[in-house]
Amino acid sequence: MANNAFERALARLDKAAERVDIPPETLKRLHFPKAVLSVSIPVRRDDGSLEIFEGYRVHHSDLLGPGKGGLRYHPEVDLDEVKALAFWMTCKGAIMDLPYGGAKGGVAVDPKQLSMLELERLSRGFIRRIADFIGPEVDIPAPDVYTNERIMGWMMDEYSDVVRRRSPDVITGKPLALGGSLGRSGATGRGGYFCLQELAQEFDWDPEQTTIAIHGFGNAGQSIAHLLHEDGFKVVAVSDSGGGIYNDSGLDIPEVIKGKRAGNSVEQVYCKDSVCDLEDVEVISNDELLTLDVDVLIPAALDDVITEDNAEDIRARVILELANGPTTLEADKLLEEREVTVIPDILANAGGVTVSYYEWVQNRSGDYWTEDEVDQRLEKRMRKQFAAVMDLAKELDVSFREAAYCLALKRLGAAAEALGTQALFNGKD
Ligand code: GLU
């Protein structure tokens, strides 16, 4: 088995390619990121000492348009992971029919160990380092794990200083006050929610009888929990890095969200409270949450949480992947054998990049939309592309994951075909 994250990600593409009529040369092209930038970012700590952080930005493919994808801050960020994440962005853009290629970036850092000012210096320093590699028509970053609106605002401001032009369209997921879009912050969760609604309809589920566990209670986890709760679904468990909570008759999600955010103030960039600090709840571990006897499991945190070690113990009938890459290749096989339906990350969490696209369109046109307009456009696009993946899964008799990759490949193949061989294979870009 391939041992780096990018090669493992490509294995799924190769599997899907067996089912799709795609020229081998196009497939070969997708095996290599278009360009990779590796940088070091010196940051002056508050105590006067100097620390150097390593960061990356990867353009996987620009077949369908400029690169698009988030920037993450996490101690385990490395180049192979960023390449895999950039590749998934290529697939997401294709599946959602967006005019974007795939890109991703990150810095190896534990951001919770930095003060607010240190974090701002790091964020501005990173953007200065990658400023020539990004741009509104080249590559448009966005938030990802442990980066958020505030950080996007600093980055937009720094980029604007570098190019001496106010450039809100260089980055998405910005604060509303700096050209962000209404509906962007909840978009990843909302997109996943539409997928689940479609599936519930397909399986003829009664929301009130449908139990759900959510692993990861950050932005995406909270937003889907809230929507599902409002819709009458029974969210019985949620967890964050501090642990999980469980109630078999359903959690009061608005209260849980309120509790989680209670300690949050404008001075803080990260939420310091855990759901486990709430009173009157049954506390469980993250591992216990993953194997609860529920209808739907939603991994909404990091990658590789469903592995060959716990896949046999997963009791959910459906897994909705709000995180990127939460299921390993080995776990995939075991889940497929047990007929667990997996709505793959490249479809389930694509609501985020979709509303990022809407933000970019608004920035470029100067015409700003209402929240309803954003939500309606997202809903229409999400339901349409979910149906396209489901139809293909039925037609080819394959899993949702394989169908999603097939759909992405078809769209990428059509663009490669339309461009002709000159641009793609003879080195002209
Ligand atoms: N980081 C998010 C993702 O993985 C959003 C990317 C974007 O909005 O460009 O899809």
Side-chain angles (χ1 to χ4, degrees), residues 178-347:
L178 296 177
S181 174
L182 289 163
R184 174 63 185 87
S185 64
T188 307
R190 187 173 287 271
Y193 162 72
F194 292 135
C195 291
L196 205 58
Q197 265 196 339
E198 289 290 313
L199 200 71
Q201 211 176 1
E202 174 76 10
F203 290 168
D204 206 14
W205 282 354
D206 171 6
E208 280 168 27
Q209 303 300 321
T210 307
T211 54
I212 297 175
I214 304 178
H215 177 262
F217 208 55
N219 180 27
Q222 287 180 36
S223 117
I224 197 166
H226 187 73
L227 290 164
L228 289 168
H229 179 80
E230 277 194 337
D231 209 8
F233 286 89
K234 254 194 335 188
V235 182
V236 294
V238 302
S239 68
D240 55 27
S241 55
I245 54 174
Y246 175 71
N247 182 334
D248 64 356
S249 48
L251 294 163
D252 182 350
I253 294 298
E255 279 304 307
V256 179
I257 293 177
K258 216 161 87 192
K260 166 116 181 142
R261 291 180 183 167
N264 229 359
S265 69
V266 282
E267 286 82 35
Q268 261 174 243
V269 182
Y270 300 103
C271 186
K272 289 203 169 48
D273 294 335
S274 166
V275 288
C276 305
D277 303 333
L278 296 169
E279 283 164 16
D280 301 327
V281 289
E282 186 185 336
V283 173
I284 57 172
S285 70
N286 267 294
D287 288 344
E288 282 169 328
L289 182 137
L290 292 170
T291 54
L292 281 175
D293 187 7
V294 287
D295 296 306
V296 184
L297 172 65
I298 305 183
L302 286 170
D303 49 356
D304 293 348
V305 289
I306 302 174
T307 66
E308 58 189 329
D309 296 332
N310 62 6
E312 302 273 22
D313 302 325
I314 302 267
R315 284 183 283 171
R317 288 189 281 162
V318 167
I319 297 177
L320 180 88
E321 296 184 334
L322 267 198
N324 286 307
T327 311
T328 65
L329 278 176
E330 297 81 1
D332 244 1
K333 281 198 202 102
L334 297 170
L335 294 171
E336 218 173 313
E337 275 163 28
R338 294 181 42 227
E339 296 184 358
V340 177
T341 302
V342 180
I343 307 300
D345 46 6
I346 52 174
L347 172 66

Side-chain angles (χ1 to χ4, degrees), residues 68-72 85 89 92 100 103-104 140-145 172-173 184 188 324 349-357:
K68 184 84 192 81
L71 294 170
R72 66 171 53 182
L85 288 159
M89 288 310 304
K92 268 185 237 186
Y100 285 145
K104 200 83 176 198
I140 306 115
D144 198 73
V145 172
T172 57
R184 174 63 185 87
T188 307
N324 286 307
N349 71 30
V353 67
T354 301
V355 178
S356 272
Y357 165 55

Side-chain angles (χ1 to χ4, degrees), residues 17-37:
E18 291 167 14
R19 311 242 176 210
V20 180
D21 185 19
I22 182 155
E25 290 185 334
T26 303
L27 188 64
K28 194 169 172 184
R29 186 72 183 82
L30 294 170
H31 272 242
F32 295 86
K34 183 182 176 203
V36 169
L37 180 66

Side-chain angles (χ1 to χ4, degrees), residues 2 12 39 43 59 103 125 159 219 245-246 329 411 426:
R12 285 181 173 137
V39 298
V43 174
H59 296 169
Y159 180 84
N219 180 27
I245 54 174
Y246 175 71
L329 278 176
R411 290 180 175 159
N426 296 352

